[in-house]
Amino acid sequence: MSTPPLDALPLETLRRRSSTKWRSYPHDVIPMFVAETDFALAAPITTALHDAVEIGDTGYTPPQPGVAGAFAGFARRRWGWVVEPERVRWTGDVMMGVVELLRATVEPGDRVVVNPPVYPPFFDTVAEAGAVVEEVPLRDTGAGWELDLAGIEAALATGARAVLLCNPHNPTGTVHSRKTLRELARIAARHGAVVISDEIHGPLASADAPFTPFLSVSAEAEAVGYAVTSASKAYNLAGLKCAVMVTASDATTATVRSLPWEVEWRTGLFGALSSVAAFSTESDAWLDALLARLEVNRRLLAELLADHLPRARYRMPQAGFLAWIDVSDYGWGDDPADRIREGAGVALHHGPFFGTQGIGHVRLNFGCGPDVLRDAVERIGAFARATAPLAQVSERPTRQ
C-alpha cells in the first residue's frame, strides 16, 4: 500500500513563522528561494523539543548526545550502510564540518575541485579554508547530469588536493551512481587526494534513484573519504544546528578526532535532541510521507511548467525538493530571479550564484503544498505572457 503524501501547513500558519523563508519578503511574495519546507515537524521531533522546553533543558550539549548511534541506525535502515558509531562526530551544520575538514586536509593555496552549478556556499567554504576553487562543471548528457570524471582526474593530476562533492547534487537533484562514486574514489586514491562528500540531501532521494553514500562504495572510498550530513534538510531543522561527520578508516577517523574541540561544541542541544528523534524509527513514517509529497510535486511542477512556461527547461530531480530551471528563453537576463520576483511576486534563488553555468536559471523550492506551487507557476506564466510576444511562449518543448 502506498504512503499518502504529507500535507503542508496552511499558508496563514506558515506566515507566522520567523525564519528566513517567511521574513525576507513582503506577504504578497511567494517565497520559494531558500531550502526550508512547509510541513509540520515529525511528531517525535515535536515531542522531544516540547519535553525539553517544559523542563528547561536548554543548557550545553552533552559529551555524548546520542547522535552517533541514532545516525548509524538510520543509515543501516534507510540505505543498508553499516556505520560504526565511534566514527561519527557532530558539529553545528554541514558547512561548518566541511570547512573544518578542508582545513585539516589541505594546505593554504591548495586547489579544491567543485562541480558547478553547485550550492553557493561551496565556493565560500573553500575560500574560508584558505584554499582555491577549481571548477570542473557537471557534464550535461542530454538526459541528465553527471560528474566529469576525466576533468576531475586532470585537475588532481595537476595538483588539486581535494574534491568537494555534492551527493546528491544541489541544485540539479542528481543522485550519483555507485559506479561513478567508485571511480571517483579510485581517481582520488590514485592521486593522493581526499573527497569530502556533502550528503545532506541523501534522505530525500526518490525511489527510482536510490541514494548511495560515498563511503559505502569501496575500500578506496573509505580510505580517501569524509561524509558530512544532517537531518536538517529532510526534517526542516536548519535553525537548530546539528550535523555529523562520518569516517570509515583509522586515518580519516584520526583526522576528525584531531579537530579543535569547539568544532563539536558548536552543536546546539536542540539540534542534537531533534536529530536523535529524526533519525529514530518513529520518524520513518513521516519521512516516507514527505517523499510521497515530493514525488507528487516534482511531477506536478513538470505539468505546470509545460502549461504555463513552455519554453522553460526542467528535468525532474532525483533527490530533494529543489528544481533547477532554465528560463533563459524568456529574455529575463542573466539573473532572472529578480525580474520574476518583481514582476510575478515569486521569490526564487539566483541561478548565477551557483556558478556561471547558472546564467539564465533559477532554483525553485517545491517543498510546499500543491496549491502554493500551482499559484507560483501560474503567476510566473502570467508574467511571461505579459513580457514576451505570444509566439515566443507558445511552443511546447520536449519534456525531459
Side-chain angles (χ1 to χ4, degrees), residues 127-349:
E128 185 180 345
V132 178
V133 167
E134 171 130 353
E135 297 188 16
V136 180
L138 291 183
R139 291 184 63 253
D140 187 340
T141 68
W145 291 272
E146 64 182 18
L147 293 176
D148 179 358
L149 293 171
I152 292 172
E153 174 142 39
L156 297 182
T158 57
R161 305 305 307 142
V163 178
L164 181 49
L165 177 69
C166 203
N167 175 43
H169 193 86
N170 173 9
T172 66
T174 301
V175 174
H176 303 303
S177 71
R178 180 173 295 274
K179 179 181 178 183
T180 293
L181 296 175
R182 189 180 293 120
E183 182 59 24
L184 175 63
R186 190 174 296 126
I187 291 167
R190 186 156 55 238
H191 296 284
V194 301
V195 176
I196 300 172
S197 185
D198 171 357
E199 301 189 344
I200 197 168
H201 294 275
L204 298 173
S206 59
D208 57 4
F211 167 64
T212 301
F214 178 74
L215 295 178
S216 73
V217 301
S218 66
E220 287 168 315
E222 291 180 350
V224 304
Y226 301 83
V228 193
T229 190
S230 172
S232 63
K233 280 292 179 287
Y235 295 91
N236 206 41
L237 305 174
L240 299 186
K241 293 301 173 187
C242 182
V244 294
M245 298 172 287
V246 187
T247 51
S249 76
D250 290 345
T252 54
T253 299
T255 297
V256 172
R257 288 178 177 167
S258 73
L259 296 176
W261 65 269
E262 67 267 19
V263 173
E264 186 174 297
W265 278 93
R266 291 169 186 161
T267 307
L269 177 58
F270 277 17
L273 292 171
S274 60
S275 294
V276 170
F279 290 137
S280 71
T281 56
E282 287 76 14
S283 291
D284 282 352
W286 183 96
L287 180 56
D288 290 339
L290 172 64
L291 291 170
R293 167 53 59 202
L294 299 182
E295 178 64 23
V296 170
N297 281 10
R298 69 174 183 148
R299 296 182 183 280
L300 174 61
L301 179 57
E303 296 170 5
L304 291 169
L305 291 172
D307 290 340
H308 300 283
L309 285 167
R311 294 182 68 84
R313 289 181 284 275
Y314 158 71
R315 294 176 179 136
M316 286 189 289
Q318 297 171 313
F321 48 82
L322 305 169
W324 187 237
I325 307 172
D326 181 355
V327 293
S328 55
D329 281 0
Y330 287 95
W332 293 329
D334 289 352
D335 187 2
D338 285 334
R339 291 282 307 277
I340 291 170
R341 188 184 69 253
E342 293 165 2
V346 180
L348 305 176
H349 209 331

